[in-house]
Amino acid sequence: MRFKKNTVNILVLNCGSSSLKYKIIKMPGGTELVRGEAERVGIKTQGVSRITHFSCGKKTVVEVPLANHAAALKKSLELIARDSAENSDICFDVFAHRYVHPGTLFSKTMKVDKVVLRKLKDTLPLAPIHNPIIYRLIEFCYDEYYNIRQFIVFDTSFHRSIPPEFSTYALPLKIIKKYHIRRIGFHGLSHQYVMEEACKFLGKDKSSQRIISCHLGTGGSSVCAINNGKSVNNSMGYTPLEGLMMNTRCGNIDPGIIFYIMFKERFSPEETESVFNNKSGILGVLNFSSDLRDAIRDMRNNPRARMVFDMYIRRVRSYVGFYSLILKKADMLIFTDSLGVSCPDLRQGVCRGMELLGIRLDEGKNAGCRGNIGDISSVRSETKVLVIPTDEEIMIARQAYRELMKNDTGC
């Protein structure tokens, strides 16, 4: 397929464990034509599965059973086809998928073919919450829509610049080499996007900036140190399990606890992995919810909710402090994703007492900043403290478009 005047509509599919975000983005300009999100996909829940769809200035909410991500995609495509019947500009030429953890197999955007699919199958255990779900959706698209080109964009590519002193684990070299074990890092699409948007917002050149990016979501969370436009460290490691306390992931713990629990509970590796990935973190401690916003709501009257909030904050602060040392003070501290953008209490908790590192928050600006891009730093702050909503889908579209143009000489 050749595209006229280099213009192509890319359907971006950003698959979460129980959600599917989608956007049709017209490239190279980056114009959004359609967006939507399917929620409560493939899980047992008291709430109803639904798709919230935006197109041509209209919002449509459809409540419908969504047994899996393929069903969510089919229903989303029905909504897109309805829009296309009314407006022929709403269509797509290419699929672009986000893939969480390719191990060390891929470090750049790939066109989907049988060889790539076969290799990806070996990476399914690396991110058990995400990889199998995304893989099945890519495979479904490859089989059902074989005449449409597809690309996979990897969440880890931005972190390939992490230097060896931070990417190497203190394990036997023989094991490291045999299994290609190293810090890989995640949320790279988000960290790269907010870095670029923050520099644009402040009129700075990214090649001269020292940045700490806090991607704090209701699912996964990570902190990234960025120096001169390149990732130099990320709180997530070989898998997304390392680092911050998350909704159901434990984050950093003493590895000895793993062996002790396996021995005492007689757990298999799979059962143990499920405890640390699916039953720990905020859910494990709070017990009634995996959402930090519920802890923030209840923390004035519930000591356990207060403790969960403090645990979360202190873990973020430890990375901000560590990365400030690596960067010799940051020029920018960025908060992004659902919690980072919408929770002033969280941002205030992270920044409290950080004057030594040059970080001072303006409490009034912080309280008033919810959901929009903003500078919430005090006039006396050496480090700019920013709120930048993320947009992983535009990063996926840009990278897929770049790869597509390499392969299409007709453009």
Side-chain angles (χ1 to χ4, degrees), residues 158-169:
F158 182 57
H159 301 301
R160 60 179 180 266
S161 53
I162 295 176
E165 63 268 30
F166 294 132
S167 66
T168 305
Y169 288 98

Side-chain angles (χ1 to χ4, degrees), residues 3 13 30 37 71-72 84 93 104 117 126 149 189-190 197 203 252 265 275 286 316 324 342 363 367 374 390 392 403:
F3 303 102
L13 299 175
E37 180 174 5
S84 185
D93 313 291
T104 54
L117 282 174
L126 295 175
R149 273 197 269 191
L189 293 163
S190 176
E197 288 301 301
N252 293 341
E265 296 289 331
V275 168
L286 197 56
V316 178
S324 293
S342 67
E363 293 188 10
T390 193
E392 292 173 322
E403 193 64 25

